[in-house]
Amino acid sequence: MMNVLRERSTSLFAAVGGWRTVTEAVLSRVVFLVVFEVTGHVWTSALVAVLCVFVFTVVRVCTGRKWWQVAPALVIVTVSALLAG
């Protein structure tokens, strides 16, 4: 019984995609905040952050990784834009 638990043990961190996915989510938000502080325009900041997420998606597709794991970054950018607006 214990062997089965050890073999199938998957952390939540690994389930969401690991460091790469978390980094993409954080970087997209940082890009949004920095561009917003520089320009003061919500929509410009959101557009640049979405373009950043698009680049992450292209990199994932080119490296053979799951593209849908970039979705949390897009959600975070959307929420940031709504809150800032």
Side-chain angles (χ1 to χ4, degrees):
M1 173 88 170
M2 292 304 286
N3 289 335
V4 172
L5 292 175
R6 284 188 208 128
E7 290 174 10
R8 300 293 295 164
S9 177
T10 303
S11 69
L12 179 61
F13 187 71
V16 297
W19 284 107
R20 188 174 197 165
T21 302
V22 173
T23 302
E24 290 166 350
V26 171
L27 278 180
S28 62
R29 189 169 186 174
V30 168
V31 166
F32 174 83
L33 292 174
V34 167
V35 173
F36 180 71
E37 285 297 320
V38 171
T39 65
H41 296 103
V42 174
W43 298 115
T44 303
S45 306
L47 180 63
V48 171
V50 167
L51 288 174
C52 183
V53 172
F54 179 73
V55 169
F56 292 150
T57 304
V58 169
V59 169
R60 276 192 177 267
V61 169
C62 290
T63 59
R65 296 197 179 250
K66 298 172 185 163
W67 62 269
W68 55 266
Q69 289 180 329
V70 183
L74 188 57
V75 170
I76 289 172
V77 168
T78 304
V79 170
S80 295
L82 291 173
L83 291 175

